[in-house]
């Protein structure tokens, strides 16, 4: 079977518990996964370390990366750039690690276009009711905040169909294992094992012709 | 998540150990899987029971089933018909069982055409070398037998690409679990959960409009 890593995009509703889930998955299976680190032009916040939370870049550096096609995808929010450096991802995939990008739908679809083998996972609470509960929070939010979250959730829901799998985040433990087995099962897809199939075919052909 | 069963076609090289694998999977997960039973016009062999190994039919009965579209797929080998009765499969799927059909590539592709959600699994030994070893057998076969097996394997290999997953049968225990997790992961595919997505979307829309 192939052991090149799989490129995985994880998106999900705000409030889906995606962040905690990623931390749990990466903590449990250190050897299997690598989390892609984004580059950004925004200033580091207190406690953030270059190369850990983000690669911090000047605007000039970032635009040079764009020009040299060194980013798999990038976007601009307000006045800052955010993007996924290609080199780190490629290296990890080559080393057989499954690389996880935590980005939103627009970025996800750009990545899928550039790399059709990308696996798109969408994390969601187990029901609409539970989702709403999480959006509303503990009742300490203003109606404005809740409404803006709700609108965002509607937009996020719009894109769900474009993802390959839904990851239902009910119980952290169960969900982490589910996500892990979903990704590992993907390694067995035929289209990820064209080398193996080619070899079997070539070898059978040779045998039939009495060449080996 | 949806709990309607998944229709699964399992094919594989002769000598891939497919039969043993199926028996192990069905034995371990009795509540999860159902094996589809074929209908045939051939006579029962000693020890075969109607409704267990096959549904034994007269030619007239079988042709009536064809005419009434009661078979998912059928084929004729030499002078006998073989086919997959629709009713049993539908009932099991409705009951939430994942239903396994053990058929060859021509049948597999017909099923996939009629039911695009069908999951196609191809069982193969771990390497071309191992496959050849199994085809050659214990050295007691005539060259003719080996060559005919080899030719058949070449044909089977031709179709491998059309399957969704490759199941590498190296160790029975490991392979059974792998097959099980691959199938169970498939339940999380977005296209198998359109109901869930629709519900979340509708519910969010209603909430945003203040209807609930």
């Amino acid at each position: 079977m192939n052991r090149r890593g799989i490129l995985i995009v994880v998106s999900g509703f705000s409030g889906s518990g995606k962040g905690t889930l990623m931390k749990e998955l990466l903590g449990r299976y250190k050897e299997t996964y690598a989390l892609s680190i984004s580059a950004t032009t925004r200033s580091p916040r207190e406690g953030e370390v270059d190369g850990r939370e983000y690669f911090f870049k000047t605007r000039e550096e970032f635009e040079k990366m764009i020009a040299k096609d060194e980013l798999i995808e990038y976007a601009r929010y307000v006045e800052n750039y955010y993007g996924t450096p290609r080199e780190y991802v490629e290296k990890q995939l080559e080393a057989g690690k499954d690389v996880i990008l935590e980005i939103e739908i627009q970025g996800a679809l750009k990545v899928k276009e550039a790399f059709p083998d990308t696996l798109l996972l969408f994390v969601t609470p187990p029901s609409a009711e539970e989702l709403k509960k999480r959006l509303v929070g503990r009742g300490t939010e203003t109606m404005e905040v809740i409404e803006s979250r709700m609108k965002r959730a509607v937009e996020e829901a719009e894109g769900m169909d474009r993802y390959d799998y839904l990851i239902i985040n009910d119980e952290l433990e169960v969900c982490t294992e589910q996500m892990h087995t979903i990704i590992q099962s993907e390694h067995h897809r035929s289209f990820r094992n064209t080398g193996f199939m080619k070899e079997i075919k070539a070898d059978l052909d040779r045998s039939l012709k009495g060449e080996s």
Side-chain angles (χ1 to χ4, degrees), chain A residues 195-209 211-212:
Chain A
F196 175 85
M197 292 192 289
K198 231 170 153 174
E199 199 193 304
I200 286 235
K201 284 180 197 178
D203 212 40
L204 281 174
D205 281 343
R206 270 197 304 274
S207 301
L208 199 60
K209 287 178 197 145
E211 286 166 27
S212 99

Side-chain angles (χ1 to χ4, degrees), chain A residues 151-209:
Chain A
K151 269 188 192 151
R152 176 132 181 242
V154 169
E155 281 166 30
E156 287 162 340
E158 242 4 271
M160 275 170 103
D161 308 71
R162 312 287 295 268
Y163 286 77
D164 296 307
Y165 290 89
L166 300 183
I167 310 285
I168 310 288
N169 192 6
D170 196 354
E171 235 186 290
L172 179 63
E173 187 95 354
V174 176
C175 184
T176 305
E177 283 313 302
Q178 209 168 75
M179 187 157 173
H180 178 60
T181 53
I182 285 174
I183 298 170
Q184 295 317 306
S185 288
E186 271 289 318
H187 276 284
H188 299 270
R189 286 231 153 229
S190 345
F191 77 81
R192 297 190 198 277
N193 292 279
T194 47
F196 175 85
M197 292 192 289
K198 231 170 153 174
E199 199 193 304
I200 286 235
K201 284 180 197 178
D203 212 40
L204 281 174
D205 281 343
R206 270 197 304 274
S207 301
L208 199 60
K209 287 178 197 145

Side-chain angles (χ1 to χ4, degrees), chain A residues 39 57 61-71 85:
Chain A
K57 303 283 174 191
E61 287 171 332
F62 201 101
E63 288 175 347
K64 212 176 265 172
M65 288 178 86
I66 298 175
K68 287 175 152 177
D69 198 27
E70 287 174 8
L71 298 165

Side-chain angles (χ1 to χ4, degrees), chain A residues 3-180:
Chain A
R3 282 324 303 185
R4 186 182 153 87
I6 295 177
L7 185 58
I8 303 150
V9 169
V10 178
S11 309
F13 291 119
S14 345
S16 63
K18 197 178 27 146
T20 318
L21 182 59
M22 289 301 93
K23 211 175 271 172
E24 185 67 19
L25 184 76
L26 287 152
R28 274 198 200 186
Y29 302 101
K30 280 191 193 67
E31 302 306 313
T32 309
Y33 302 107
L35 190 65
S36 155
I37 300 159
S38 298
T40 181
T41 56
R42 85 153 163 72
S43 309
R45 292 186 191 134
E46 210 178 311
E48 286 184 342
V49 176
D50 185 46
R52 192 180 68 189
E53 281 79 12
Y54 285 97
F55 294 113
F56 295 102
K57 303 283 174 191
T58 65
R59 190 188 181 118
E60 208 189 354
E61 287 171 332
F62 201 101
E63 288 175 347
K64 212 176 265 172
M65 288 178 86
I66 298 175
K68 287 175 152 177
D69 198 27
E70 287 174 8
L71 298 165
I72 291 180
E73 57 81 38
Y74 71 94
R76 204 172 152 168
Y77 296 109
V78 201
E79 65 227 74
N80 284 309
Y81 284 119
Y82 293 81
T84 305
R86 184 186 302 273
E87 197 193 348
Y88 176 82
V89 169
E90 280 291 349
K91 258 191 201 158
Q92 298 293 326
L93 291 175
E94 273 308 316
K97 295 243 185 179
D98 297 327
V99 179
I100 299 178
L101 314 188
E102 232 194 289
I103 52 179
E104 292 180 67
I105 177 129
Q106 285 79 7
L109 298 179
K110 277 190 220 165
V111 172
K112 182 87 178 178
E113 215 183 292
F115 301 91
D117 291 357
T118 305
L119 187 61
L120 303 185
L121 307 182
F122 192 90
V123 184
T124 167
S127 67
E129 206 185 346
E130 181 59 30
L131 174 59
K132 281 191 293 180
K133 222 187 266 170
R134 297 194 197 173
L135 293 172
V136 171
R138 295 178 197 158
T140 54
E141 313 282 3
T142 63
M143 270 311 289
E144 215 172 46
V145 168
I146 293 171
E147 195 162 305
S148 116
R149 281 186 188 164
M150 207 70 98
K151 269 188 192 151
R152 176 132 181 242
V154 169
E155 281 166 30
E156 287 162 340
E158 242 4 271
M160 275 170 103
D161 308 71
R162 312 287 295 268
Y163 286 77
D164 296 307
Y165 290 89
L166 300 183
I167 310 285
I168 310 288
N169 192 6
D170 196 354
E171 235 186 290
L172 179 63
E173 187 95 354
V174 176
C175 184
T176 305
E177 283 313 302
Q178 209 168 75
M179 187 157 173
H180 178 60

